[in-house]
Amino acid sequence: MNVVLLEPSEVDAHGQATLEGRRAAHVASVLRKAPGDALSVGLVGGRIGEATVVSSTKTTLVLRDCSFDRAPAPKRPITVVLALPRPPVFRRLLQHLTALGVERLVLLHTKRVEKSYWMSPALEPEAIDAQIRLGLEQAVDTVPLLVERARGFKAFVQDRLGALAEGARLLVAHPGAHPPCPADVQGRVVVLIGPEGGFIPYEVDRLCEAGAEPVSLGSRVLRVETATVALLGRLGDRA
Ligand code: SAM
C-alpha cells in the first residue's frame, strides 16, 4: 500500500480522519508508522497528498492535517478488451490493469470463455471495487478503472467496437506469425486479449474486418495474465 485511500466522507472539516480495519492494520503492521510520521493519502476519485499520524494500532488509525494538493498520475488512454478469464486470474488482472494505469476494461464473451465465469462472485461490483482499490493503493492512484461487460461477441463487434476504437489504434493480441506488437505507441489504443484457449479463427477474422491489427508478443504462447502485462509494458507510457 503506497497510498492510503480515503472516502471524502472519512475526512472531517479539520482534516482529521479515523480509520479502522484493513488500512489501519496495514499502516501499523507493514508500514510501521508511529505518531508524528507522515503518510501518503489520497481521496477516492480525487487528489493525493499527505497526512500526519496521530496514533496507529492494528485496529485504529487516526490522522490529522490531511491535505490533498496534487493530482495523481494521469490514466493511460488504453482500453483493454479482455475475454473473461477464470475468476482468480480476473481478480489479479483487475489489480494489474489498475496499477498500470489502464483507463477502461471491457469484459468480453467469446467462444472459448466458460459461461459459468459470468456467474462468479468475482464479478460482483463490491468484489471488483475491492481489487481495483488494491491496484490504486499500489500505484498511488485514486481514479478507479472503468469496467464494462459485453456478453455477446457479434453484438460487441457490430455495435460497440466502432465507437470504442474511433481515433484509436486497434490491436488484437494473437499468437502466430503476425507483426510484433508496436512499442511506445502514442495516443489512444484499444487492445483485445483472448481467453486461455485463444480466439477462434472466426473471431479473429471479424475483428480484423473491423479494423484490428493482429499483433504478436513473440514465439512463446503466454498465459492471459502474462500476455496482458507484457503487452501493456510494450505499448509504453504514452499510450
Ligand atoms: N492456444 C491459444 C492460441 O493459440 O490462441 C493460446 C491462447 S493464450 C494462452 C491467451 C491469449 O493471450 C491469446 O488469445 C492472446 O490474446 C494472448 N497471447 C498469448 N501469447 C501471445 C503471443 N505470443 N502473442 C500474442 N498474443 C498472445
Side-chain angles (χ1 to χ4, degrees):
M1 188 187 288
N2 293 304
V3 66
V4 174
L5 291 182
L6 307 169
E7 296 291 343
S9 60
E10 289 178 314
V11 186
D12 73 15
H14 308 289
Q16 297 191 2
T18 300
L19 310 179
E20 293 178 344
R22 183 181 64 86
R23 291 169 296 175
H26 186 91
V27 170
S29 311
V30 181
L31 302 181
R32 296 177 181 268
K33 293 287 183 183
D37 285 351
L39 186 68
S40 182
V41 290
L43 275 181
V44 175
R47 295 164 79 80
I48 54 175
E50 265 81 42
T52 302
V53 175
V54 175
S55 62
S56 171
T57 69
K58 285 180 184 167
T59 55
T60 310
L61 171 66
V62 181
L63 301 173
R64 65 173 165 82
D65 300 332
C66 293
S67 68
F68 306 96
D69 56 1
R70 57 194 186 278
K75 289 277 188 254
R76 295 161 71 189
I78 300 179
T79 294
V80 171
V81 181
L82 181 70
L84 183 65
R86 280 184 297 121
V89 176
F90 172 58
R91 288 191 192 94
R92 290 195 297 270
L93 269 172
L94 281 171
Q95 289 188 42
H96 290 316
L97 294 171
T98 303
L100 286 163
V102 169
E103 197 167 48
R104 182 189 303 252
L105 169 67
V106 180
L107 298 169
L108 179 65
H109 188 72
T110 69
K111 178 79 177 167
R112 292 188 178 141
V113 168
E114 187 66 54
K115 284 198 181 110
S116 64
Y117 294 169
W118 291 100
M119 308 301 160
S120 165
L123 269 85
E124 297 291 334
E126 304 74 39
I128 289 178
D129 284 351
Q131 297 302 325
I132 290 176
R133 192 65 72 98
L134 294 174
L136 293 174
E137 290 171 350
Q138 175 60 41
V140 194
D141 193 357
T142 65
V143 182
L145 170 75
L146 299 170
V147 181
E148 298 169 7
R149 297 161 199 230
R151 293 287 298 267
F153 177 83
K154 256 191 194 168
F156 169 74
V157 175
Q158 277 170 14
D159 306 335
R160 287 178 64 185
L161 187 57
L164 211 56
E166 203 175 322
R169 188 142 181 201
L170 181 58
L171 308 174
V172 52
H174 193 49
H178 310 296
C181 174
D184 290 326
V185 174
Q186 298 202 19
R188 291 191 53 233
V189 180
V190 176
V191 60
L192 294 112
I193 299 162
E196 213 48 62
F199 288 118
I200 61 171
Y202 166 86
E203 291 165 343
V204 178
D205 290 348
R206 296 293 80 76
L207 292 170
C208 292
E209 278 170 17
E213 307 166 50
V215 294
S216 163
L217 291 165
S219 57
R220 296 168 191 273
V221 178
L222 307 171
R223 284 189 179 280
V224 172
E225 209 169 338
T226 316
T228 305
V229 173
L231 209 131
L232 290 168
R234 190 158 169 85
L235 289 176
D237 264 351
R238 282 165 295 174

